[in-house]
Amino acid sequence: MNKPFRGKSARVLLRSAAVMAAVLVQAVPATAATSAAAAPQGLSCDTGKHAVDDHTGYALCRNNGSTTQTFWVHLVCGWSPDVDGEHVTLSPGQSGQSTAHCAGLGTGIGEIHVRP
């Protein structure tokens, strides 16, 4: 009959698992944390994470087209549900920003997209 892990053996096993998890998290390069999909036609956009809050993302867009356009930021939030920012309507030549926030309990922003 097998004995369950007790005392020092259990602590060593748990410590090893924690170290391995930390190594795996650090193995993902920071640049892989966000990627932006192509902006809708007629818009030029910059996307990124908030300087102080890694769970807040934005899309800052300019309407270079000849018609009014609406866009919003879409964040892929890892373990938390994905979220959409406010819809922003821009006339030709105008600029605007849409922001959204991933839940604090999740893994943060995995991808940032601009949706038409």
Side-chain angles (χ1 to χ4, degrees):
M1 182 177 247
N2 292 337
K3 290 183 180 181
F5 285 109
R6 295 180 194 264
K8 186 176 180 181
S9 297
R11 285 191 300 272
V12 168
L13 182 62
L14 289 173
R15 189 176 303 127
S16 297
V19 168
M20 189 59 159
V23 167
L24 289 173
V25 167
Q26 292 176 359
V28 177
T31 56
T34 60
S35 64
Q41 189 171 359
L43 293 176
S44 59
C45 301
D46 291 320
T47 62
K49 292 181 184 179
H50 190 275
V52 178
D53 181 3
D54 280 345
H55 285 77
T56 300
Y58 66 87
L60 175 61
C61 298
R62 177 176 173 79
N63 183 351
N64 294 324
S66 58
T67 61
T68 300
Q69 295 199 44
T70 299
F71 76 95
W72 61 93
V73 68
H74 174 80
L75 304 181
V76 177
C77 294
W79 292 348
S80 298
D82 297 350
V83 292
D84 289 329
E86 65 278 1
H87 291 208
V88 178
T89 301
L90 302 175
S91 297
Q94 283 187 320
S95 296
Q97 179 173 301
S98 175
T99 60
H101 185 80
C102 292
L105 298 176
T107 55
I109 300 170
E111 294 179 12
I112 301 173
H113 300 274
V114 179
R115 299 280 168 90

